[in-house]
Amino acid sequence: MNLHEYQGKEILSSFGVRIQRGIVAQNVQEAVAAAKQLTEETGTGWHVIKAQIHAGGRGKGGGVKLAKNLQEVEDIAGQIIGMNLITPQTSATGKKVHQVLVAEDVYYPGDSETSEFYVSVLLNRATGRNMIMYSTEGGMDIETVAEETPHLIFTEEIDPAVGIMPFQARRVAFNLGLSGTAFKEMTKFVTSLYTAYVKSDASLFEINPVLKTSDDKIMAVDAKVTIDDNALYRHKDYLELRDIREESAIEVEAGEKGLNYVDLDGNVGCMVNGAGLAMATMDLIKQAGGEPANFLDVGGTADAARVEAAFKIILKDPAVKAILINIFGGIVRCDRVAQGVIDAYKNMGNINVPIIVRLQGTNADIAKELIDNSGLDVLSATEFQEAADKVQQVLA
Amino acid sequence: MSVLVNKDSKIIVQGFTGSEGTFHAGQMIEYGTNIVGGVTPGKGGQTHLDKPVFNTVQDAVNEVGADTTIIFVPPAFAADAIMEAADAGIKVIITITEGIPVADMITASNYIKHKDCRLIGPNCPGVITPGEAKVGIMPGFVFKKGNVGIVSKSGTLTYEAADQVVKQGLGITTAIGIGGDPIIGTTTKEAVELLINDPETEAVVMIGEIGGQLEADAANWYKESGSNKPVIGFIAGETAPAGRTMGHAGAIVGGSDDTAQAKKKIMSACGIHVVDSPAEIGSKVAEVLALQKV
């Protein structure tokens, strides 16, 4: 589950990680009130208005701006709330901004220069352990740093039996070139950050930038936080942090029906059992001259109700010109699936796009007969290649 | 020969009396798999599907000599079940459960590192040695006995590959479903290595997907091994967008090196026969094996 910056920061703060303070606002009035409150609490003169959407690169799209007085807070909040924010990480149409974070200005002048770092915590899949990945090149896109200056990216792998050790926190601070107060602050920062990661069952923390202020404090200025969906059962309080406005409406609906669906841009819809076979089917559609319109795993019980739900989801996409159903019947028998397809088709009345049904495995021959004798406008296939050929044929 | 499981394996089912465990234990017994009992804490002493139920894995090891387990325990308790099996001295731990928290798997995989056991999965279809033992949830009839080994992250795509191989008049030594989670017990490389070292296996089918480095590691190992046993490879997810999880928790493109294209390139460079179409796995195996025999 992805979180907004302000939600991620709240979680960090609850585990003692220093953050740039801020208050979330849903409209201009709330933004102005938030700015006043923040000035009272922190003494900040300027404010940063930050669009809250689930995508990075917000600054590049004009979603992060500095306000030097309350009039500017009002003006900027007014511009950002409701805008369609396009960033390098959103689609070409962008994402609608529903709320902004009004944050304190932390780049104030002082005794030393400010500097920005990059710190993330994530799983190292190769070793099955968590690691802290960090860099002196904060505020930049880490993929670019990895490509251009890979020697400036460091990693610290954590032994799960003992957790993060003080020497590891020191190594991070040394590698970031810190000394004195800032050095101590950084060791505290990474230690509490790692603790927060483990205790919140996160699957990604990406803090970019981590700021050293002009008075040597270390704090998270941004926070990308993802929580492991499989662990949400032990964090019931996080469930309410889900913002379904940030998700595709059609994917939310599919999820409620127990279908694993990902919306894509193509013209051939597909319905498959199993994630690997679903991806392979998408690839086959492309090789047959189409483009997959979706990923859809119907799971193990492809009965009439599920097939009908899947049909309805796929057909919501007006770009769909054909649907390929590819089911490998193992425990679930193909004749049952075929009957499910026929029943769903009849329940729905007219389906205006050609349908190719490929059923393989248990009772595949009976299933093909059922489809062929159904009188419906459905093409049947048993071999994978045959299904691809029929997709090509209907697209021609 | 075969790898991991055979007719002499003494297999128990953890989560034996639950609905999943009951259904699949029944299917495995019907297949002829040597199921010697099951474990459900609190139900020890009972009989289920004509087999004894034990309270602990240790009891099953002591009383019926269990050496292999298949786990159907719900996600919240599955990592504990894996560690219990490892602690009791079980040698092959096959975990079907999907949806185990990553943090739990970090703990479990760290715990079993120093035990003498091999974990397969989690989130996998299991392992089958046709005609001897089906220790998983796959449809047994698809897998005919033969000389082709299969390694795959995915369930139905494994069945698809096996079906294509069998339709070429060939068969399977052992098919290993390694699972689609970010942390799995046996990697692609380890599973390929087991099959390459199996004298009965003449060719290996390696099916991967987007995300992670497992296929690249396996390909590099294969090249270095100098083995002349052919490997046929396929990677699913060429059309998957970056940054989106495609069903399997581990199937997500993070950077340029874990795309299907990048993996296939490395595999080809390491001497693996890569097919672009998932419909050509079986015919490629037949073609490569025919060339071997000339």
Side-chain angles (χ1 to χ4, degrees), chain A residues 125 129-130 160 201 228 230 233-234 251 260 264 273-274 276-277 280 282-284 287 295 328 330-331 358 360 362 383 385, chain B residues 23 76 99-104 106 110 139 141 154 156 159-160 163 167 209 237-239 241 244 246-247 250 276-279:
Chain A
R125 288 174 62 162
R129 293 176 165 199
N130 290 319
D201 265 308
D228 179 4
N230 291 336
Y233 72 90
R234 47 191 180 211
E251 287 177 18
N260 200 332
L264 301 170
N273 64 336
L277 191 60
M282 286 160 50
D283 297 346
L284 198 77
Q287 283 158 16
F295 166 95
F328 200 103
I331 306 298
R358 186 261 178 160
Q360 182 58 271
T362 317
E383 298 308 320
Q385 188 55 51
Chain B
F23 176 76
I100 303 176
V102 172
D104 294 11
I106 291 176
N110 195 54
F141 75 93
S154 145
T156 45
Y159 318 158
E160 176 71 45
D163 186 56
K167 284 193 173 134
E209 60 195 30
E238 198 171 286
T239 49
R244 297 299 308 269
M246 306 302 280
D276 281 320
S277 164

Short mmCIF file of all heavy atoms in Angstrom, two decimals, chain A residues 125 129-130 160 201 228 230 233-234 251 260 264 273-274 276-277 280 282-284 287 295 328 330-331 358 360 362 383 385, chain B residues 23 76 99-104 106 110 139 141 154 156 159-160 163 167 209 237-239 241 244 246-247 250 276-279:
data_model
loop_
_atom_site.label_atom_id
_atom_site.label_comp_id
_atom_site.label_asym_id
_atom_site.label_seq_id
_atom_site.Cartn_x
_atom_site.Cartn_y
_atom_site.Cartn_z
N ARG A 125 16.67 -8.41 -2.45
CA ARG A 125 16.09 -9.71 -2.81
C ARG A 125 17.15 -10.79 -2.95
O ARG A 125 16.86 -11.97 -2.74
CB ARG A 125 15.27 -9.57 -4.11
CG ARG A 125 13.97 -8.81 -3.87
CD ARG A 125 13.22 -8.54 -5.16
NE ARG A 125 12.82 -9.75 -5.84
CZ ARG A 125 11.87 -9.78 -6.78
NH1 ARG A 125 11.25 -8.69 -7.13
NH2 ARG A 125 11.55 -10.91 -7.38
N ARG A 129 17.61 -10.00 2.88
CA ARG A 129 17.77 -9.13 4.04
C ARG A 129 17.45 -7.69 3.66
O ARG A 129 17.54 -7.32 2.50
CB ARG A 129 19.21 -9.19 4.54
CG ARG A 129 19.56 -10.54 5.11
CD ARG A 129 21.02 -10.59 5.49
NE ARG A 129 21.25 -11.75 6.34
CZ ARG A 129 22.31 -11.88 7.13
NH1 ARG A 129 23.22 -10.93 7.18
NH2 ARG A 129 22.45 -12.95 7.87
N ASN A 130 17.11 -6.88 4.67
CA ASN A 130 16.88 -5.47 4.41
C ASN A 130 18.21 -4.74 4.29
O ASN A 130 19.21 -5.16 4.87
CB ASN A 130 16.07 -4.85 5.54
CG ASN A 130 14.64 -5.37 5.54
OD1 ASN A 130 14.02 -5.52 4.49
ND2 ASN A 130 14.12 -5.66 6.72
N PRO A 160 19.16 -9.58 10.20
CA PRO A 160 17.86 -9.54 10.87
C PRO A 160 17.91 -10.05 12.32
O PRO A 160 17.05 -9.72 13.12
CB PRO A 160 16.98 -10.45 10.00
CG PRO A 160 17.92 -11.27 9.19
CD PRO A 160 19.17 -10.47 9.03
N ASP A 201 6.29 -2.62 9.26
CA ASP A 201 6.16 -3.62 8.19
C ASP A 201 6.17 -2.96 6.82
O ASP A 201 5.36 -3.27 5.94
CB ASP A 201 4.87 -4.43 8.36
CG ASP A 201 5.11 -5.74 9.10
OD1 ASP A 201 6.01 -6.49 8.69
OD2 ASP A 201 4.40 -6.00 10.09
N ASP A 228 3.89 -3.20 3.36
CA ASP A 228 3.66 -4.55 2.83
C ASP A 228 2.19 -4.94 3.00
O ASP A 228 1.71 -5.08 4.13
CB ASP A 228 4.58 -5.52 3.61
CG ASP A 228 4.42 -6.97 3.16
OD1 ASP A 228 3.66 -7.22 2.20
OD2 ASP A 228 5.07 -7.84 3.78
N ASN A 230 0.70 -7.65 2.67
CA ASN A 230 0.49 -8.92 3.36
C ASN A 230 0.59 -8.79 4.88
O ASN A 230 0.21 -9.69 5.60
CB ASN A 230 1.51 -9.97 2.89
CG ASN A 230 1.26 -10.39 1.45
OD1 ASN A 230 0.15 -10.28 0.96
ND2 ASN A 230 2.29 -10.89 0.78
N TYR A 233 -2.64 -6.90 8.15
CA TYR A 233 -3.52 -7.47 9.18
C TYR A 233 -3.02 -7.15 10.59
O TYR A 233 -3.78 -7.16 11.53
CB TYR A 233 -3.70 -8.98 8.97
CG TYR A 233 -2.48 -9.81 9.31
CD1 TYR A 233 -2.28 -10.30 10.60
CD2 TYR A 233 -1.53 -10.12 8.33
CE1 TYR A 233 -1.16 -11.06 10.91
CE2 TYR A 233 -0.41 -10.86 8.63
CZ TYR A 233 -0.23 -11.33 9.91
OH TYR A 233 0.88 -12.08 10.22
N ARG A 234 -1.71 -6.87 10.72
CA ARG A 234 -1.24 -6.53 12.05
C ARG A 234 -1.07 -5.02 12.26
O ARG A 234 -0.50 -4.59 13.25
CB ARG A 234 0.02 -7.30 12.43
CG ARG A 234 1.12 -7.33 11.40
CD ARG A 234 2.19 -8.36 11.81
NE ARG A 234 3.25 -8.40 10.82
CZ ARG A 234 3.95 -9.49 10.55
NH1 ARG A 234 3.71 -10.63 11.19
NH2 ARG A 234 4.91 -9.46 9.65
N GLU A 251 -9.48 -0.70 -11.14
CA GLU A 251 -8.67 -1.67 -10.39
C GLU A 251 -9.23 -1.87 -8.98
O GLU A 251 -9.22 -2.97 -8.44
CB GLU A 251 -7.20 -1.22 -10.32
CG GLU A 251 -6.50 -1.38 -11.67
CD GLU A 251 -5.06 -0.88 -11.68
OE1 GLU A 251 -4.47 -0.71 -10.61
OE2 GLU A 251 -4.54 -0.66 -12.79
N ASN A 260 -7.49 -9.99 -9.65
CA ASN A 260 -6.23 -9.26 -9.68
C ASN A 260 -6.09 -8.63 -11.06
O ASN A 260 -5.83 -9.31 -12.04
CB ASN A 260 -5.09 -10.24 -9.40
CG ASN A 260 -3.85 -9.53 -8.93
OD1 ASN A 260 -3.62 -8.38 -9.28
ND2 ASN A 260 -3.06 -10.21 -8.14
N LEU A 264 -4.14 -1.53 -18.56
CA LEU A 264 -3.08 -1.19 -19.51
C LEU A 264 -3.69 -0.45 -20.71
O LEU A 264 -4.91 -0.28 -20.77
CB LEU A 264 -2.35 -2.46 -19.98
CG LEU A 264 -1.69 -3.31 -18.89
CD1 LEU A 264 -1.22 -4.64 -19.46
CD2 LEU A 264 -0.53 -2.57 -18.26
N ASN A 273 -6.01 -17.66 -15.73
CA ASN A 273 -5.81 -18.12 -14.35
C ASN A 273 -4.32 -18.28 -14.07
O ASN A 273 -3.62 -19.00 -14.76
CB ASN A 273 -6.61 -19.40 -14.05
CG ASN A 273 -6.15 -20.61 -14.87
OD1 ASN A 273 -5.59 -20.47 -15.94
ND2 ASN A 273 -6.41 -21.78 -14.35
N GLY A 274 -3.85 -17.56 -13.09
CA GLY A 274 -2.43 -17.62 -12.71
C GLY A 274 -1.67 -16.42 -13.24
O GLY A 274 -1.87 -15.99 -14.38
N GLY A 276 1.67 -15.92 -13.81
CA GLY A 276 2.70 -16.17 -14.82
C GLY A 276 2.07 -16.40 -16.19
O GLY A 276 2.51 -15.83 -17.19
N LEU A 277 1.02 -17.22 -16.22
CA LEU A 277 0.33 -17.49 -17.48
C LEU A 277 -0.33 -16.21 -18.00
O LEU A 277 -0.38 -15.98 -19.21
CB LEU A 277 -0.71 -18.61 -17.30
CG LEU A 277 -1.33 -19.18 -18.58
CD1 LEU A 277 -0.26 -19.79 -19.49
CD2 LEU A 277 -2.39 -20.23 -18.25
N ALA A 280 2.33 -14.23 -19.67
CA ALA A 280 2.69 -14.90 -20.92
C ALA A 280 1.62 -14.66 -21.98
O ALA A 280 1.92 -14.48 -23.16
CB ALA A 280 2.89 -16.40 -20.68
N MET A 282 -0.36 -12.01 -22.16
CA MET A 282 -0.18 -10.62 -22.63
C MET A 282 0.91 -10.55 -23.69
O MET A 282 0.76 -9.88 -24.72
CB MET A 282 0.21 -9.73 -21.45
CG MET A 282 -0.93 -9.40 -20.49
SD MET A 282 -0.31 -8.84 -18.86
CE MET A 282 0.86 -7.58 -19.32
N ASP A 283 2.01 -11.26 -23.43
CA ASP A 283 3.13 -11.26 -24.39
C ASP A 283 2.69 -11.85 -25.73
O ASP A 283 3.06 -11.36 -26.79
CB ASP A 283 4.31 -12.06 -23.83
CG ASP A 283 4.88 -11.45 -22.56
OD1 ASP A 283 4.56 -10.29 -22.24
OD2 ASP A 283 5.65 -12.15 -21.86
N LEU A 284 1.89 -12.91 -25.65
CA LEU A 284 1.42 -13.58 -26.86
C LEU A 284 0.50 -12.66 -27.68
O LEU A 284 0.55 -12.66 -28.91
CB LEU A 284 0.68 -14.87 -26.48
CG LEU A 284 0.53 -15.87 -27.62
CD1 LEU A 284 1.85 -16.60 -27.86
CD2 LEU A 284 -0.57 -16.87 -27.34
N GLN A 287 2.63 -10.43 -29.63
CA GLN A 287 3.25 -11.11 -30.77
C GLN A 287 2.24 -11.39 -31.88
O GLN A 287 2.60 -11.54 -33.04
CB GLN A 287 3.92 -12.40 -30.31
CG GLN A 287 5.26 -12.09 -29.62
CD GLN A 287 5.73 -13.20 -28.70
OE1 GLN A 287 5.25 -14.32 -28.76
NE2 GLN A 287 6.67 -12.87 -27.83
N PHE A 295 -3.94 -6.77 -17.42
CA PHE A 295 -3.50 -8.02 -16.78
C PHE A 295 -4.69 -8.43 -15.93
O PHE A 295 -5.25 -7.60 -15.22
CB PHE A 295 -2.28 -7.73 -15.90
CG PHE A 295 -1.92 -8.82 -14.92
CD1 PHE A 295 -0.97 -9.78 -15.24
CD2 PHE A 295 -2.53 -8.89 -13.67
CE1 PHE A 295 -0.64 -10.78 -14.33
CE2 PHE A 295 -2.21 -9.89 -12.77
CZ PHE A 295 -1.26 -10.83 -13.10
N PHE A 328 -5.85 -22.58 -17.99
CA PHE A 328 -5.31 -23.93 -17.92
C PHE A 328 -5.99 -24.64 -16.77
O PHE A 328 -5.75 -24.34 -15.61
CB PHE A 328 -3.79 -23.92 -17.73
CG PHE A 328 -3.18 -25.23 -18.13
CD1 PHE A 328 -2.51 -25.37 -19.33
CD2 PHE A 328 -3.35 -26.36 -17.33
CE1 PHE A 328 -1.98 -26.60 -19.71
CE2 PHE A 328 -2.83 -27.58 -17.72
CZ PHE A 328 -2.14 -27.70 -18.92
N GLY A 330 -6.59 -27.22 -14.16
CA GLY A 330 -5.91 -28.29 -13.43
C GLY A 330 -6.94 -28.90 -12.50
O GLY A 330 -7.72 -29.77 -12.89
N ILE A 331 -6.93 -28.39 -11.29
CA ILE A 331 -7.93 -28.79 -10.32
C ILE A 331 -9.31 -28.30 -10.79
O ILE A 331 -10.31 -29.01 -10.70
CB ILE A 331 -7.60 -28.17 -8.93
CG1 ILE A 331 -6.17 -28.52 -8.52
CG2 ILE A 331 -8.62 -28.59 -7.91
CD1 ILE A 331 -5.85 -29.96 -8.32
N ARG A 358 -9.64 -20.09 -24.97
CA ARG A 358 -8.69 -21.19 -25.06
C ARG A 358 -8.69 -21.92 -23.72
O ARG A 358 -8.33 -21.36 -22.70
CB ARG A 358 -7.30 -20.66 -25.39
CG ARG A 358 -6.27 -21.74 -25.64
CD ARG A 358 -5.42 -21.98 -24.41
NE ARG A 358 -4.47 -23.05 -24.64
CZ ARG A 358 -3.36 -23.22 -23.91
NH1 ARG A 358 -3.07 -22.39 -22.94
NH2 ARG A 358 -2.58 -24.23 -24.13
N GLN A 360 -7.44 -25.39 -21.78
CA GLN A 360 -6.51 -26.50 -21.88
C GLN A 360 -6.46 -27.20 -20.52
O GLN A 360 -6.67 -26.56 -19.49
CB GLN A 360 -5.13 -25.97 -22.30
CG GLN A 360 -4.07 -27.03 -22.49
CD GLN A 360 -4.45 -28.08 -23.52
OE1 GLN A 360 -5.07 -29.10 -23.18
NE2 GLN A 360 -4.11 -27.86 -24.78
N THR A 362 -7.67 -30.33 -17.83
CA THR A 362 -8.74 -31.28 -17.49
C THR A 362 -10.03 -31.03 -18.28
O THR A 362 -10.59 -29.95 -18.22
CB THR A 362 -9.07 -31.17 -15.98
OG1 THR A 362 -7.85 -31.08 -15.26
CG2 THR A 362 -9.86 -32.36 -15.50
N GLU A 383 -4.90 -25.13 -28.26
CA GLU A 383 -3.46 -24.87 -28.16
C GLU A 383 -3.20 -23.37 -28.03
O GLU A 383 -3.97 -22.54 -28.53
CB GLU A 383 -2.72 -25.42 -29.39
CG GLU A 383 -2.83 -26.93 -29.54
CD GLU A 383 -2.45 -27.70 -28.29
OE1 GLU A 383 -1.48 -27.31 -27.61
OE2 GLU A 383 -3.15 -28.67 -27.96
N GLN A 385 -0.82 -21.52 -29.38
CA GLN A 385 -0.54 -20.86 -30.65
C GLN A 385 -1.83 -20.61 -31.43
O GLN A 385 -2.00 -19.56 -32.06
CB GLN A 385 0.45 -21.70 -31.48
CG GLN A 385 0.96 -21.00 -32.74
CD GLN A 385 1.58 -19.64 -32.44
OE1 GLN A 385 2.44 -19.51 -31.57
NE2 GLN A 385 1.13 -18.59 -33.15
N PHE B 23 -8.08 -30.91 1.03
CA PHE B 23 -8.34 -31.14 -0.38
C PHE B 23 -7.09 -31.64 -1.11
O PHE B 23 -7.12 -32.66 -1.79
CB PHE B 23 -8.86 -29.85 -1.04
CG PHE B 23 -9.06 -30.00 -2.52
CD1 PHE B 23 -10.17 -30.68 -3.02
CD2 PHE B 23 -8.12 -29.52 -3.42
CE1 PHE B 23 -10.35 -30.85 -4.38
CE2 PHE B 23 -8.29 -29.68 -4.79
CZ PHE B 23 -9.41 -30.35 -5.27
N ALA B 76 -0.38 -15.86 8.11
CA ALA B 76 0.08 -15.27 9.38
C ALA B 76 0.92 -16.26 10.20
O ALA B 76 1.69 -15.86 11.07
CB ALA B 76 -1.11 -14.79 10.20
N GLY B 99 1.04 -15.05 0.31
CA GLY B 99 0.69 -13.86 1.11
C GLY B 99 1.39 -13.77 2.45
O GLY B 99 0.92 -13.10 3.36
N ILE B 100 2.54 -14.42 2.60
CA ILE B 100 3.30 -14.33 3.86
C ILE B 100 3.98 -12.95 3.91
O ILE B 100 4.61 -12.55 2.93
CB ILE B 100 4.38 -15.44 3.94
CG1 ILE B 100 3.73 -16.82 3.80
CG2 ILE B 100 5.14 -15.35 5.27
CD1 ILE B 100 4.72 -17.97 3.77
N PRO B 101 3.87 -12.21 5.04
CA PRO B 101 4.56 -10.92 5.13
C PRO B 101 6.06 -11.07 4.87
O PRO B 101 6.67 -12.05 5.30
CB PRO B 101 4.31 -10.49 6.57
CG PRO B 101 3.05 -11.18 6.97
CD PRO B 101 3.08 -12.50 6.24
N VAL B 102 6.64 -10.10 4.16
CA VAL B 102 8.06 -10.16 3.82
C VAL B 102 8.92 -10.24 5.09
O VAL B 102 9.88 -10.99 5.15
CB VAL B 102 8.47 -8.94 2.97
CG1 VAL B 102 9.97 -8.89 2.77
CG2 VAL B 102 7.78 -8.99 1.61
N ALA B 103 8.54 -9.46 6.12
CA ALA B 103 9.33 -9.46 7.36
C ALA B 103 9.39 -10.87 7.97
O ALA B 103 10.44 -11.29 8.48
CB ALA B 103 8.72 -8.48 8.36
N ASP B 104 8.31 -11.61 7.88
CA ASP B 104 8.28 -12.98 8.42
C ASP B 104 9.23 -13.88 7.63
O ASP B 104 9.90 -14.75 8.18
CB ASP B 104 6.86 -13.57 8.35
CG ASP B 104 5.88 -12.85 9.26
OD1 ASP B 104 6.24 -11.78 9.79
OD2 ASP B 104 4.75 -13.35 9.42
N ILE B 106 11.88 -12.88 6.00
CA ILE B 106 13.28 -12.51 6.31
C ILE B 106 13.72 -13.30 7.54
O ILE B 106 14.79 -13.91 7.56
CB ILE B 106 13.41 -10.99 6.57
CG1 ILE B 106 13.20 -10.21 5.26
CG2 ILE B 106 14.77 -10.65 7.19
CD1 ILE B 106 13.21 -8.69 5.42
N ASN B 110 16.43 -16.46 7.36
CA ASN B 110 17.64 -16.31 8.17
C ASN B 110 17.78 -17.48 9.15
O ASN B 110 18.87 -18.02 9.34
CB ASN B 110 17.56 -14.98 8.93
CG ASN B 110 18.91 -14.57 9.50
OD1 ASN B 110 19.88 -14.50 8.78
ND2 ASN B 110 18.94 -14.32 10.80
N PRO B 139 -2.04 -30.23 -11.36
CA PRO B 139 -2.81 -31.36 -11.88
C PRO B 139 -1.84 -32.47 -12.31
O PRO B 139 -1.10 -32.28 -13.27
CB PRO B 139 -3.57 -30.77 -13.06
CG PRO B 139 -2.77 -29.58 -13.49
CD PRO B 139 -2.03 -29.07 -12.28
N PHE B 141 -2.03 -35.31 -13.88
CA PHE B 141 -2.11 -36.01 -15.17
C PHE B 141 -1.36 -35.30 -16.29
O PHE B 141 -1.00 -35.89 -17.29
CB PHE B 141 -3.58 -36.20 -15.57
CG PHE B 141 -4.23 -34.94 -16.06
CD1 PHE B 141 -4.25 -34.65 -17.42
CD2 PHE B 141 -4.81 -34.04 -15.18
CE1 PHE B 141 -4.83 -33.48 -17.88
CE2 PHE B 141 -5.39 -32.87 -15.63
CZ PHE B 141 -5.39 -32.59 -16.98
N SER B 154 6.02 -19.87 -11.66
CA SER B 154 4.57 -19.75 -11.76
C SER B 154 3.87 -21.10 -11.84
O SER B 154 4.43 -22.07 -12.33
CB SER B 154 4.26 -18.94 -13.03
OG SER B 154 3.09 -19.39 -13.64
N THR B 156 0.34 -22.09 -13.22
CA THR B 156 -0.29 -22.51 -14.48
C THR B 156 0.68 -22.47 -15.66
O THR B 156 0.55 -23.24 -16.59
CB THR B 156 -1.55 -21.66 -14.79
OG1 THR B 156 -1.25 -20.28 -14.55
CG2 THR B 156 -2.70 -22.09 -13.93
N TYR B 159 2.33 -25.73 -15.77
CA TYR B 159 1.47 -26.77 -16.35
C TYR B 159 1.47 -26.64 -17.87
O TYR B 159 1.53 -27.63 -18.60
CB TYR B 159 0.02 -26.68 -15.84
CG TYR B 159 -0.14 -26.40 -14.36
CD1 TYR B 159 -1.33 -25.85 -13.86
CD2 TYR B 159 0.88 -26.70 -13.45
CE1 TYR B 159 -1.48 -25.59 -12.50
CE2 TYR B 159 0.72 -26.42 -12.09
CZ TYR B 159 -0.45 -25.86 -11.63
OH TYR B 159 -0.61 -25.58 -10.30
N GLU B 160 1.41 -25.38 -18.33
CA GLU B 160 1.44 -25.10 -19.77
C GLU B 160 2.72 -25.67 -20.40
O GLU B 160 2.67 -26.37 -21.41
CB GLU B 160 1.38 -23.58 -19.97
CG GLU B 160 1.51 -23.11 -21.40
CD GLU B 160 0.28 -23.44 -22.24
OE1 GLU B 160 -0.84 -23.21 -21.75
OE2 GLU B 160 0.46 -23.92 -23.37
N ASP B 163 2.72 -29.48 -20.37
CA ASP B 163 1.77 -29.96 -21.37
C ASP B 163 2.39 -29.91 -22.76
O ASP B 163 2.28 -30.86 -23.54
CB ASP B 163 0.51 -29.08 -21.29
CG ASP B 163 -0.61 -29.59 -22.18
OD1 ASP B 163 -0.99 -30.76 -22.00
OD2 ASP B 163 -1.08 -28.83 -23.04
N LYS B 167 3.29 -33.11 -25.11
CA LYS B 167 2.68 -33.23 -26.45
C LYS B 167 3.72 -33.42 -27.54
O LYS B 167 3.40 -33.79 -28.67
CB LYS B 167 1.80 -32.01 -26.74
CG LYS B 167 0.49 -32.14 -25.97
CD LYS B 167 -0.56 -31.18 -26.40
CE LYS B 167 -1.87 -31.52 -25.69
NZ LYS B 167 -2.51 -30.34 -25.13
N GLU B 209 10.18 -14.72 -14.85
CA GLU B 209 9.32 -13.57 -15.10
C GLU B 209 10.06 -12.31 -14.69
O GLU B 209 11.17 -12.38 -14.13
CB GLU B 209 7.99 -13.72 -14.35
CG GLU B 209 8.14 -13.83 -12.84
CD GLU B 209 6.88 -14.32 -12.13
OE1 GLU B 209 6.10 -15.08 -12.73
OE2 GLU B 209 6.69 -13.95 -10.97
N GLY B 237 6.33 -11.50 -19.22
CA GLY B 237 6.16 -10.12 -18.77
C GLY B 237 6.82 -9.07 -19.63
O GLY B 237 7.06 -7.95 -19.18
N GLU B 238 7.09 -9.44 -20.92
CA GLU B 238 7.69 -8.46 -21.83
C GLU B 238 6.80 -7.23 -21.96
O GLU B 238 7.27 -6.12 -22.15
CB GLU B 238 7.88 -9.12 -23.19
CG GLU B 238 8.85 -8.39 -24.07
CD GLU B 238 9.18 -9.20 -25.31
OE1 GLU B 238 9.93 -10.18 -25.18
OE2 GLU B 238 8.66 -8.86 -26.38
N THR B 239 5.49 -7.43 -21.84
CA THR B 239 4.55 -6.32 -22.05
C THR B 239 4.10 -5.69 -20.73
O THR B 239 3.19 -4.87 -20.71
CB THR B 239 3.30 -6.83 -22.81
OG1 THR B 239 2.82 -8.02 -22.16
CG2 THR B 239 3.61 -7.14 -24.25
N PRO B 241 4.10 -3.20 -17.62
CA PRO B 241 4.64 -1.85 -17.40
C PRO B 241 5.56 -1.81 -16.18
O PRO B 241 5.41 -2.61 -15.26
CB PRO B 241 3.37 -1.02 -17.14
CG PRO B 241 2.39 -2.00 -16.58
CD PRO B 241 2.70 -3.32 -17.22
N ARG B 244 4.69 -1.73 -11.71
CA ARG B 244 3.42 -2.33 -11.32
C ARG B 244 3.64 -3.79 -10.97
O ARG B 244 4.34 -4.51 -11.67
CB ARG B 244 2.40 -2.25 -12.48
CG ARG B 244 2.03 -0.84 -12.89
CD ARG B 244 1.38 -0.02 -11.77
NE ARG B 244 0.28 -0.68 -11.14
CZ ARG B 244 -1.00 -0.56 -11.52
NH1 ARG B 244 -1.31 0.22 -12.52
NH2 ARG B 244 -1.95 -1.20 -10.88
N MET B 246 2.66 -7.46 -10.99
CA MET B 246 1.80 -8.27 -11.85
C MET B 246 1.43 -9.58 -11.15
O MET B 246 2.03 -10.63 -11.40
CB MET B 246 2.50 -8.55 -13.18
CG MET B 246 3.01 -7.30 -13.90
SD MET B 246 1.72 -6.09 -14.26
CE MET B 246 1.03 -6.83 -15.71
N GLY B 247 0.48 -9.52 -10.24
CA GLY B 247 0.00 -10.73 -9.58
C GLY B 247 0.95 -11.27 -8.53
O GLY B 247 0.69 -11.18 -7.34
N GLY B 250 6.57 -10.66 -6.32
CA GLY B 250 7.94 -10.37 -6.79
C GLY B 250 7.99 -9.90 -8.23
O GLY B 250 9.05 -9.50 -8.72
N ASP B 276 10.85 -16.54 -27.52
CA ASP B 276 10.11 -15.30 -27.29
C ASP B 276 8.64 -15.57 -27.07
O ASP B 276 7.96 -14.83 -26.38
CB ASP B 276 10.28 -14.35 -28.48
CG ASP B 276 11.62 -13.63 -28.42
OD1 ASP B 276 12.02 -13.24 -27.31
OD2 ASP B 276 12.26 -13.49 -29.47
N SER B 277 8.14 -16.65 -27.68
CA SER B 277 6.72 -16.96 -27.56
C SER B 277 6.50 -18.07 -26.54
O SER B 277 7.14 -19.12 -26.61
CB SER B 277 6.16 -17.40 -28.91
OG SER B 277 4.91 -18.03 -28.71
N PRO B 278 5.57 -17.87 -25.61
CA PRO B 278 5.27 -18.92 -24.64
C PRO B 278 4.64 -20.15 -25.30
O PRO B 278 4.55 -21.21 -24.67
CB PRO B 278 4.29 -18.24 -23.68
CG PRO B 278 3.68 -17.13 -24.46
CD PRO B 278 4.75 -16.67 -25.41
N ALA B 279 4.24 -20.02 -26.56
CA ALA B 279 3.64 -21.17 -27.26
C ALA B 279 4.71 -22.08 -27.85
O ALA B 279 4.41 -23.15 -28.35
CB ALA B 279 2.71 -20.66 -28.36
#
